């Protein structure tokens, strides 16, 4: 299975996302922002970073890139798309997911090992998790505060579209502790924390057993492969 | 500063310089001394043009020319044995040293100061400090893979410290995070001696294949000189001269315009663009633009290659069309690089920079003549031998004087301080909740330590560690240290100690120390007592490197860290790089398993002078710093390496500031696993009392935890290597406490509360 990873100018975690896909058993395919050819990939990851320097608004310029326009079109037809951190911001700016992401309420960038609860295990990127499973993956962002209108929040909660919720500590002031969302169809998922940084023992978050051994992020990419096999 | 702009005749040309030899020139305002101005005239056989004067003023500044430190820095090269050079691919004098780590791979690393700008404008000062060192690493042909920072702030409660801390941490966070470089460690120290002179040192490390090495040289006449990256603006003019090479005073205009302004997005794109240029083999020589901007890049590339250049300065792309040629030559605008490109490769060069949407312009070409010509349109404004600008600057043997206060300082020992052993537990808690020993995660959590997916160790572990080869797990560890208090008491011993501690911090991670970088932060070289400190510290460091058998590969000197007559403590930050064949063997700084034995390696002496116990608890600084025995350090490092290779050690933590007591608490806090500790045997064996056992800062000591099944093997190994070993406790997962027999049972939650709340409470 071929999963594309888009590199925008200022993207940082593209190689990490490619490694995660490889470790999950997929084939990573690098995609270039200026190119509207998605190379017939089976799914797409929009990785973290500071696309176009986060000028204007985080993700706003990337949402208009030729590659993103193709992703929007294909996502509406069911292509599995995962947006991580800046990728989540791009999905929101592209209106594939509702709401917005603003400066962390404490005004600082924050990097920490974050506990999350998987609220929805019916999406293309979470089908291998148990419902309500608690996982730890790194979080690192400056503008991760999720906001939306009351009606939107109500709709997201009622339709079970909140996929991840922050546990123990809300690191950025997100409404309803929302860490990640999905679209109606469950093929598009966006979240602020970084599953691609918890895929390889020795380089992930600390666990109760050993230093930096957490690999809870691997299931995101394995879930996508499973969804693709079943589709 | 430059009046020429408004003169009807336009710029000051070489012709003007000849026809108006007696014109008044602002050499003093540009930071030059009278005799320096005279020697420029002697070199040129005429007065310099205003553009030439601008170039000499920045390139002959203390910051760029090392004029006061050169005669001492030589010994880092002279005291290197052939054995020490074995792994050294590029030594001092280049943008950064390059060290062979095996498997056809190499790393380059360097630490540099950005102290003065970070006080004037903390956010931009610190941000561009990161940007500058990263470009140094990039210009060696390496992909930058990590950063670290070494910070010294003033008194924690001072309102101005708040301004500096917030600005500096935000600046490092902003720039480093946007670049996508993991921040894997560093130091933060508070002391009122740094109040008006905070230190912001930034270290970067890069990785490359041997064949990808690039050098800053222009050797082939006819090759094009191309400036690319950000446009040139009016920021950072005179940064190296009027800002970094002068003492802060109360008078004078603000120096904020001398601080550069950074754009990490532009730098990220520039990094990827440069790496693609290198791999395509398009570039014959490369130099980053940092201090002294175009003046530095053109003269150094030409001088290094033993050639000349002909440059058309009007070709420089500007942010502001009103800039004068002098300003263009001095501007320290960030995110710029200068490449030497063979003419037939220009098309390939253009293709790659266009892909990354990076702007460029051809400034001129390399010529087979020992001359740097710079034209402004059709007028010649610079005509100089490049070597005189870049390398043959003034060299000073400054007066050196043994400080008047030194004897009294050394005589004022801590032995008179009361040792209230019943208060040991309270003192331990006071120390762990003092700003210098409290949790630093308020700072380090603002830095991305995960990006790139190769971070094997990062703060709060003793050293940072990066995987370099994903195939084999080959990696490097890095640690930096400097104890300003020790260096103030004895700069020679203090510098040796800084090296010993960084060396030890690399050894505890499981890596073998291999090379050294340094950033020597001192007061004014015009003060003979500061020069004495500098002389002593450089000698101590060079001698110690020789004794440990690891070479200095490069570094940086920062003088003038003083306000009025008050200089900072001499603070020679020393970074040690180690190599580990597989990062999977790395050792963290805290224990996680239950029931493992805790051993203290090394001997404890009654050494409380200059300690945290004396300074932070009793406000006393005097006496003699702890003794450093480098043979012992070597034996200890070799033991740790051997034990790690056999997988015998679960955790290892350096015993340094704060002594054994603080080391035990830190190792317990790392994974929230407690310990039961007994000290009576230690006190008997080493003949020390409880205060010394807990707080002495004797060197060459490490605590380790070892699984019971490996006990016999481990002890035998210690015996074979001649390292003193004593079991002082066991790890204890159940109790959630650090129970020090005869002292107190300290609840882990209480320790954590006292330790973690300090910095968030202050800032």
């Amino acid at each position: 299975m071929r999963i594309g990873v888009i590199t925008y100018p200022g993207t940082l975690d593209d190689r990490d996302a490619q490694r995660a896909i490889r470790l999950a058993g997929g084939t990573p395919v690098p995609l270039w922002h200026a190119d509207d050819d998605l190379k017939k990939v089976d799914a797409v990851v929009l990785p973290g970073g500071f696309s176009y320097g986060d000028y204007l608004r985080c993700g706003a310029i990337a949402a208009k890139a030729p590659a993103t326009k193709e992703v929007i079109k294909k996502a509406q037809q069911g292509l599995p798309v995962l947006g991580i951190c800046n990728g989540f911001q791009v999905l929101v700016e592209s209106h594939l997911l509702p709401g917005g992401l603003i400066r962390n309420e404490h005004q600082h960038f924050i990097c920490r090992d974050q506990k999350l609860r998987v609220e929805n295990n019916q999406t293309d990127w979470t089908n291998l998790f148990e419902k309500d499973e608690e996982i730890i993956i790194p979080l690192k962002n400056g503008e991760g505060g999720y906001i939306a209108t009351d009606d939107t929040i109500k709709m997201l909660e009622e339709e079970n579209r909140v996929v991840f919720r922050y546990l123990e500590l809300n690191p950025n002031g997100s409404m309803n502790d929302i860490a990640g969302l999905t679209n109606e169809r469950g093929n598009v998922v966006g979240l602020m924390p970084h599953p691609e940084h918890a895929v390889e023992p020795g380089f992930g978050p600390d666990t109760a057993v050993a230093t930096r051994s957490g690999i809870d992020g691997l299931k995101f990419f394995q879930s996508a492969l499973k969804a693709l096999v079943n589709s | 500063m430059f009046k020429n702009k408004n003169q009807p005749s336009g710029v000051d040309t070489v012709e003007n310089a000849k026809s108006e030899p007696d014109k008044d020139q602002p050499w003093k305002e540009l930071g030059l001394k009278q005799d320096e101005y005279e020697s420029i005239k002697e070199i040129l056989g005429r007065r310099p043009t205003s553009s030439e004067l601008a170039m000499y003023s920045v390139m002959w500044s203390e910051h760029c020319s090392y004029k006061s430190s050169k005669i001492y820095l030589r010994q880092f090269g002279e005291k290197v044995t052939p054995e020490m050079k074995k792994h050294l691919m590029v030594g001092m004098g280049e943008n950064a040293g390059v060290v062979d780590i095996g498997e056809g791979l190499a790393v380059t690393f360097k630490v540099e100061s950005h102290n003065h700008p970070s006080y004037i404008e903390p956010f931009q000062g610190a941000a561009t400090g990161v940007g500058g060192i990263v470009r140094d690493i990039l210009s060696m042909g390496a992909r930058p893979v990590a950063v670290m920072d070494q910070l010294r702030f003033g008194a924690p409660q001072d309102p101005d410290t708040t301004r500096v801390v917030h600005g500096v941490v935000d600046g490092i966070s902003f720039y480093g995070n946007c670049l996508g470089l993991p921040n894997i460690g560093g130091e933060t120290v508070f002391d009122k001696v740094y109040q008006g002179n905070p230190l912001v040192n930034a270290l970067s490390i890069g990785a490359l294949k041997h064949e990808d090495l690039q050098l800053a040289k222009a050797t082939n006449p006819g090759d094009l000189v191309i400036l690319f990256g950000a446009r040139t603006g009016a920021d950072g003019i005179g940064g190296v001269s009027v800002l970094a090479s002068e003492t802060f005073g109360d008078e004078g205009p603000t120096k904020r315009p001398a601080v550069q302004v950074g754009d990490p997005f532009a730098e990220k794109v520039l990094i990827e663009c440069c790496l693609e240029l290198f791999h395509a083999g398009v570039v014959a020589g490369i130099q980053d633009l940092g201090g002294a901007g175009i003046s530095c890049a053109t003269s150094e590339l030409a001088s290094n290659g033993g050639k000349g250049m002909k440059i058309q300065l009007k070709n420089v792309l500007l942010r502001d069309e009103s800039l004068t040629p002098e300003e263009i030559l001095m501007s320290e605008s960030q995110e710029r690089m200068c490449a030497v490109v063979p003419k037939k490769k220009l098309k390939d060069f253009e293709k790659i920079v266009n892909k990354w949407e990076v702007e460029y312009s051809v400034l001129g070409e390399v010529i087979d003549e020992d001359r740097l010509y710079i034209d402004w349109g059709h007028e010649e404004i610079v005509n100089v031998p490049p070597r005189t600008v870049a390398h043959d600057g003034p060299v000073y043997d400054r007066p050196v004087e043994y400080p008047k206060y030194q004897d009294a300082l050394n005589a004022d020992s801590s032995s008179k301080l009361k040792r209230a052993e019943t208060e040991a537990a309270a003192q331990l808690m006071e120390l762990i909740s003092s700003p210098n020993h409290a949790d630093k995660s308020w700072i380090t959590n603002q830095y991305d330590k995960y990006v790139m997916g190769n971070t094997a160790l990062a703060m709060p572990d003793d050293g940072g560690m990066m995987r370099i080869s994903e195939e084999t797990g080959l990696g490097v560890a890095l640690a930096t240290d400097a104890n300003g208090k020790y260096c103030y008491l004895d700069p020679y011993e203090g510098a040796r100690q800084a090296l010993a501690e960084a060396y030890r911090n690399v050894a505890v991670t499981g890596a073998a120390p291999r090379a050294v970088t340094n950033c020597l932060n001192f007061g004014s070289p015009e003060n003979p007592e500061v020069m004495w400190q500098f002389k002593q510290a450089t000698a101590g460091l060079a001698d110690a490197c020789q004794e440990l058998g690891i070479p200095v590969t490069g570094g940086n000197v920062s003088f003038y860290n003083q306000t009025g007559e008050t200089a900072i403590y001499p603070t020679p930050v020393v970074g040690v790089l180690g190599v580990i064949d597989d990062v999977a063997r790395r050792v963290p700084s805290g224990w996680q398993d239950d029931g493992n034995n805790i051993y203290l390696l090394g001997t404890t002496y009654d050494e409380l002078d200059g300690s945290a116990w004396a300074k932070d608890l009793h406000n006393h600084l005097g006496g003699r710093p702890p003794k450093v025995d480098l043979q012992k350090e070597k034996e200890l490092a070799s033991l740790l390496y051997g034990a790690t290779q056999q997988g015998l050690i679960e955790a290892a933590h350096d015993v340094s500031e704060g002594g054994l007591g603080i080391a035990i608490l830190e190792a317990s806090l790392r994974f929230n696993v407690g310990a039961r500790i007994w000290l009576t045997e230690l006190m008997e064996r080493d003949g020390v009392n409880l205060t010394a056992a807990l707080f002495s800062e004797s060197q060459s000591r490490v605590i380790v935890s070892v699984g019971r099944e490996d006990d016999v093997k481990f002890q035998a190994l210690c015996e074979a290597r001649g390292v003193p070993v004593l079991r002082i406790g066991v790890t204890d997962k159940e109790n959630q406490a650090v129970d020090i027999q005869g002292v107190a049972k300290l609840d882990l939650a209480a320790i954590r509360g006292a330790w973690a709340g300090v910095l968030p409470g202050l800032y």
Side-chain angles (χ1 to χ4, degrees):
Chain A
M1 291 292 168
R2 291 155 42 85
I3 303 185
V5 178
I6 299 184
T7 298
Y8 303 97
T11 290
L12 305 177
D13 300 308
D14 43 350
R15 277 169 298 159
D16 303 63
Q18 290 169 19
R19 184 193 294 118
I21 291 163
R22 204 163 45 239
L23 290 170
T27 304
V29 179
L31 301 173
W32 183 242
H33 70 113
D35 203 346
D36 60 10
D37 176 12
L38 296 186
K39 299 185 181 166
K40 300 199 173 84
V41 292
D42 304 301
V44 167
V45 175
L46 308 182
F50 295 76
S51 56
Y52 305 91
D54 275 352
Y55 291 138
L56 194 56
R57 262 191 331 270
C58 303
I61 303 176
K64 307 289 178 205
T68 317
K69 284 185 183 160
E70 268 314 289
V71 169
I72 296 170
K73 213 187 301 169
K74 297 267 170 60
Q76 284 156 351
Q77 296 158 12
L79 180 80
V81 176
L82 176 67
I84 303 167
C85 196
N86 194 223
F88 184 21
Q89 293 162 339
V90 175
L91 291 177
V92 167
E93 289 288 343
S94 307
H95 303 295
L96 283 173
L97 296 173
L101 292 149
I102 58 168
R103 185 81 182 148
N104 297 346
E105 65 176 353
H106 46 77
Q107 304 297 315
H108 294 295
F109 186 96
I110 183 167
C111 174
R112 71 189 302 272
D113 297 347
Q114 179 68 45
K115 191 179 263 192
L116 303 175
R117 186 167 56 230
V118 181
E119 301 270 353
N120 175 345
N121 66 346
Q122 304 295 309
T123 78
D124 285 353
W125 298 91
T126 55
N127 58 52
L128 287 174
F129 290 104
E130 300 294 323
K131 166 114 176 67
D132 294 333
E133 188 173 335
E134 294 184 2
I135 62 174
I136 295 179
I137 59 177
L139 168 123
K140 42 172 216 183
N141 66 64
E143 317 223 348
Y146 183 75
I147 52 162
T149 61
D150 292 346
D151 288 347
T152 303
I153 296 280
K154 190 160 168 264
M155 176 270 288
L156 289 171
E157 296 288 0
E158 280 173 7
E159 294 180 6
N160 193 26
R161 284 172 55 186
V162 174
V163 184
F164 305 100
R165 225 183 284 276
Y166 297 118
L167 285 186
E168 290 174 5
L169 182 142
N170 181 336
N172 43 32
S174 291
M175 293 173 82
N176 284 27
D177 299 334
I178 291 171
L181 297 176
T182 185
N183 61 350
E184 272 176 83
R185 198 166 171 166
N187 63 313
V188 177
V189 170
L191 78 166
M192 284 317 292
H194 288 255
E196 81 284 16
H197 290 326
V199 293
E200 191 180 11
F203 303 93
D206 288 335
T207 68
V209 182
T211 180
R212 306 186 72 84
S213 58
I215 55 165
D216 288 344
L218 201 55
K219 279 188 190 165
F220 283 71
F221 305 93
Q222 291 166 335
S223 292
L225 296 176
K226 183 181 161 205
L228 290 168
V229 171
N230 293 345
S231 66
Chain B
M1 209 177 282
F2 299 104
K3 302 264 161 55
N4 320 326
K5 191 164 73 173
N6 304 322
Q7 287 174 0
S9 59
V11 298
D12 188 28
T13 62
V14 173
E15 212 165 298
N16 292 146
K18 289 175 187 160
S19 62
E20 303 164 35
D22 300 325
K23 192 173 162 253
D24 263 352
Q25 294 195 281
W27 51 267
K28 201 173 169 195
E29 291 84 341
L30 291 169
L32 287 166
K33 306 280 187 255
Q34 170 101 50
D35 56 338
E36 291 171 347
Y37 179 59
E38 295 305 326
S39 52
I40 295 169
K41 288 207 270 191
E42 201 173 305
I43 288 167
L44 299 177
R46 58 173 164 80
R47 74 158 173 91
T49 65
S50 57
S51 295
E52 289 165 342
L53 185 67
M55 289 182 83
Y56 281 105
S57 75
V58 284
M59 290 302 288
W60 285 15
S61 67
E62 186 64 60
H63 185 86
C64 287
S65 74
Y66 295 91
K67 56 192 171 190
S68 304
S69 56
K70 227 177 211 169
I71 62 166
Y72 299 104
L73 300 179
R74 280 183 196 135
Q75 59 192 319
F76 293 133
E78 289 159 6
K79 289 178 184 171
V80 170
T81 62
E83 175 65 17
M84 286 160 75
K85 279 192 192 154
K86 201 168 69 183
H87 299 293
L88 201 56
M89 292 172 61
V90 173
M92 288 191 307
E94 281 290 337
N95 283 311
V98 180
V99 180
D100 176 18
I101 62 164
E103 300 179 15
L105 295 169
V107 294
T108 174
F109 72 123
K110 190 168 137 182
V111 57
E112 215 169 58
S113 63
H114 228 220
N115 303 338
H116 292 82
S118 300
Y119 179 65
I120 300 283
E121 166 54 57
F123 181 90
Q124 291 296 346
T128 55
V130 175
I133 190 66
V134 166
R135 283 194 307 281
D136 271 342
I137 294 305
L138 176 64
S139 61
M140 299 309 295
R143 173 177 280 284
V145 296
V147 293
M148 293 173 101
D149 48 86
Q150 298 73 33
L151 311 176
R152 301 291 183 278
F153 298 118
Q157 278 87 5
D158 191 294
D160 194 54
T161 304
T162 306
R163 171 189 75 97
V164 177
V165 167
H166 275 281
V168 166
V169 174
D170 275 357
I172 293 170
S173 162
F174 161 73
Y175 208 102
N177 294 342
C178 290
L179 274 190
L181 294 178
N183 191 312
I184 59 170
E187 311 158 43
T188 307
V189 174
F190 298 91
D191 192 304
K192 67 176 190 309
V193 78
Y194 302 106
Q195 196 64 56
N197 295 90
L199 303 184
V200 175
N201 293 179
L203 180 149
S204 180
I205 174 164
L208 66 158
K209 291 185 184 147
H210 287 187
E211 62 269 24
D212 290 340
L213 182 65
Q214 299 284 337
L215 293 174
K217 269 185 190 179
T219 44
N220 299 312
D223 282 1
L224 301 172
V225 179
I226 304 181
L227 186 65
F228 64 114
R231 287 183 170 228
T232 300
D235 57 328
I237 290 175
V240 292
S241 49
V242 296
L243 183 54
S245 303
E246 280 180 20
T247 301
F248 286 135
D250 298 332
E251 294 154 24
T254 169
K255 291 182 174 180
R256 284 185 75 182
V259 180
Q260 312 90 332
V261 177
D263 176 358
F265 169 63
E267 180 131 322
K268 167 65 182 170
V269 172
L270 195 58
I271 290 173
E272 300 302 332
C273 175
C274 281
L275 290 169
E276 201 168 324
L277 289 170
F278 298 156
H279 293 151
V282 185
V283 166
I286 185 106
Q287 170 76 303
D288 67 300
L289 276 81
I294 295 175
S295 297
C296 178
T298 51
S299 64
E300 282 197 354
L301 280 166
S303 177
N304 287 341
K307 292 286 182 297
M309 269 182 199
K310 194 155 173 53
I311 299 292
Q312 174 52 261
L313 203 59
K314 286 246 173 174
N315 287 355
V316 174
L317 300 174
L318 301 176
R319 289 178 206 168
D320 171 358
E321 291 300 330
S322 72
L323 287 187
T324 65
E326 297 86 354
E327 288 168 329
I328 296 168
L329 285 166
M330 290 170 81
S331 162
E332 294 180 9
S333 287
Q334 299 288 292
E335 295 95 24
R336 297 180 299 164
M337 300 288 281
C338 188
V340 178
V341 177
K343 274 187 187 133
K344 62 176 193 300
K345 304 264 182 170
L346 181 62
K347 282 257 163 346
D348 299 330
F349 179 91
E350 286 171 328
K351 203 176 143 198
I352 293 167
V353 291
N354 286 338
K355 172 188 163 187
W356 289 100
E357 298 176 33
V358 168
E359 287 192 304
Y360 71 98
S361 65
V362 178
L363 298 190
E365 63 179 62
V366 181
I367 54 172
D368 198 5
E369 196 183 336
D370 180 26
R371 217 71 197 171
L372 175 59
Y373 300 104
I374 300 181
D375 289 350
W376 180 250
H378 59 277
E379 293 178 299
E380 185 178 71
I381 55 169
V382 173
N383 179 342
V384 296
R387 219 187 141 73
T388 64
V389 181
H391 294 108
D392 292 342
V395 176
Y396 294 139
D397 186 357
R398 301 247 190 216
V400 167
E401 199 178 295
Y402 183 75
K404 287 178 272 306
Y405 57 79
Q406 196 71 35
D407 285 338
L409 180 69
N410 290 143
D412 179 22
S413 139
S414 66
S415 57
K416 65 178 181 210
L417 301 176
K418 200 172 149 241
R419 299 190 183 189
E421 309 214 321
T422 50
E423 288 169 27
Q427 291 186 340
L428 197 52
M429 286 303 286
E430 195 182 335
L431 213 49
I432 197 79
S433 57
S434 67
N436 281 334
H437 300 94
D439 185 11
K440 299 298 186 300
S441 58
W442 180 84
I443 294 173
T444 56
N445 281 355
Q446 297 188 43
Y447 308 148
D448 182 352
K449 64 180 176 186
Y450 281 105
V451 62
M452 288 187 167
N454 289 313
T455 308
L457 287 176
M459 51 278 177
D461 290 316
D462 289 5
M465 187 182 286
M466 296 302 295
R467 171 172 65 178
I468 302 297
S469 166
E470 289 202 33
E471 286 74 41
T472 65
L474 175 71
V476 294
L478 260 165
T480 67
D481 283 290
N483 187 317
K485 291 175 294 178
Y486 296 168
C487 293
Y488 180 59
L489 297 180
D490 184 340
Y492 184 89
E493 276 296 301
R496 292 176 79 228
Q497 188 278 337
L499 177 67
E501 189 174 338
Y503 181 90
R504 198 182 318 133
N505 277 326
V506 163
V508 293
T509 66
R514 184 161 287 183
V516 179
T517 182
N518 60 51
C519 186
L520 308 172
N521 305 279
F522 285 77
S524 167
E526 295 163 41
N527 175 345
E529 296 186 344
V530 168
M531 258 346 265
W532 176 82
Q533 293 175 328
F534 188 77
K535 182 185 172 191
Q536 292 297 104
T538 44
L541 183 56
D543 289 348
C545 284
Q546 193 171 25
E547 202 174 333
L548 288 176
I550 47 175
V552 171
T553 61
N556 168 244
V557 177
S558 172
F559 277 129
Y560 296 99
N561 293 292
Q562 76 176 60
T563 303
E565 288 303 299
T566 319
I568 59 162
Y569 295 146
T571 312
V573 168
V574 180
V576 171
L577 174 96
V579 179
I580 183 164
D581 53 1
D582 185 354
V583 296
R585 288 192 227 278
R586 79 210 178 296
V587 178
S589 63
W591 37 74
Q592 231 171 339
D593 292 344
D594 188 47
N596 280 359
N597 283 323
I598 300 171
Y599 291 97
L600 173 65
L601 303 174
T603 309
T604 305
Y605 304 96
D606 194 312
E607 294 182 304
L608 287 161
D609 288 357
S611 67
W613 178 83
K615 181 74 165 36
D616 296 347
L617 299 183
H618 299 89
N619 198 26
H620 177 272
L621 179 58
R624 292 268 176 201
K627 289 225 159 39
V628 179
D629 182 334
L630 295 171
Q631 281 312 308
K632 279 192 196 161
E633 291 292 352
K634 268 173 128 167
E635 286 157 11
L636 181 62
S638 135
L639 165 73
L640 290 165
Y641 186 75
T644 312
Q645 287 288 314
Q646 296 180 42
L648 302 180
I649 299 180
E650 182 213 10
H653 186 34
D654 163 47
V655 179
S656 54
E657 268 207 273
L660 179 62
I662 291 293
I664 290 166
L665 297 194
E666 287 172 345
S668 300
L669 286 164
R670 176 70 180 85
F671 294 105
N672 230 24
V673 172
R676 292 195 306 279
I677 303 288
W678 44 89
L679 298 172
T680 36
E681 266 178 88
L682 168 69
M683 288 156 62
E684 269 169 38
R685 186 194 70 174
D686 293 346
V688 292
N689 62 21
L690 182 65
T691 302
L694 279 175
F695 300 111
S696 166
E697 297 184 4
S698 291
Q699 299 295 297
S700 314
R701 293 185 305 158
V702 165
I703 48 172
V704 296
S705 67
V706 176
R708 291 190 175 210
E709 64 283 6
D710 292 323
D711 248 6
V712 177
K713 259 190 187 168
F714 179 72
Q715 295 215 40
L717 198 63
C718 292
E719 205 164 310
R721 308 277 167 122
V723 174
V725 57
L726 187 67
R727 193 165 78 107
I728 57 162
V730 288
T731 62
D732 183 357
K733 221 167 182 166
E734 298 276 294
N735 260 320
Q736 285 291 302
V738 178
D739 184 357
I740 307 176
Q741 279 179 23
V743 178
K745 184 172 175 179
L746 302 166
D747 189 42
L748 260 182
I751 304 170
R752 182 170 294 280
W755 174 73
V758 181
L759 292 198
L762 281 166
Y763 307 110

